[in-house]
Amino acid sequence: MSKVTEGAIVSGEVVAIKPFGAFVKLETGETGLIHISQISTKYVEKVEDELSVGDVVKAKVLSVEPPGKISLSIKALSDDRPQRGDRRGRRGPADFEDMMKKFMKSSEERLSALAAKQKKR
């Protein structure tokens, strides 16, 4: 049975680096894995670019599964994560109105220029 619980904030020392993530020895003596996708909010090509053996890290426990598999995330503690409604360039209603006004103005200018060209012919 694990001494850590899901959602807890833990700290530990990086004891091994693998291409898929970093193994961290927790203060409880247990070992958890920070998957490469959970190291940073930015793209991580190599784990070694962000972490080294001996680094002390703080992470959130994502899951605890038998037999003692502990999934950790540094990314979950980060303040620069996208907020709801902020993802993939989604915009709020005010931004939509501004975009629509610009589109209408641009369309009217193009139509006027096209009509002026056709009058000259």
Side-chain angles (χ1 to χ4, degrees):
M1 187 78 179
S2 178
K3 298 174 190 170
V4 297
T5 58
E6 198 170 305
I9 308 300
V10 295
S11 60
E13 181 181 345
V14 176
V15 292
I17 303 274
K18 300 292 180 194
F20 54 85
F23 287 95
V24 178
K25 181 121 180 156
L26 303 176
E27 293 169 336
T28 61
E30 299 169 290
T31 302
L33 171 68
I34 303 173
H35 187 267
I36 191 169
S37 66
Q38 294 299 320
I39 292 173
S40 175
T41 57
K42 300 177 184 110
Y43 175 73
V44 176
E45 188 170 338
K46 293 180 182 177
V47 177
E48 302 85 29
D49 293 343
E50 300 290 323
L51 298 172
S52 302
V53 173
D55 286 355
V56 175
V57 296
K58 201 175 237 188
K60 182 175 184 177
V61 178
L62 296 180
S63 66
V64 180
E65 299 174 18
K69 286 178 70 175
I70 302 171
S71 295
L72 304 170
S73 174
I74 295 172
K75 182 168 82 170
L77 298 178
S78 178
D79 290 337
D80 59 348
R81 290 187 313 162
Q83 299 298 316
R84 284 197 178 272
D86 207 20
R87 299 163 62 186
R88 295 190 194 115
R90 291 183 190 150
R91 300 184 171 150
D95 290 336
F96 176 75
E97 292 297 324
D98 291 340
M99 287 174 36
M100 198 60 167
K101 285 177 188 174
K102 288 177 186 174
F103 171 75
M104 293 298 290
K105 182 178 179 185
S106 172
S107 294
E108 288 171 7
E109 289 170 356
R110 287 187 199 144
L111 283 173
S112 296
L114 184 60
K117 264 188 186 178
Q118 287 181 346
K119 274 188 179 181
K120 288 181 182 180
R121 289 185 188 175

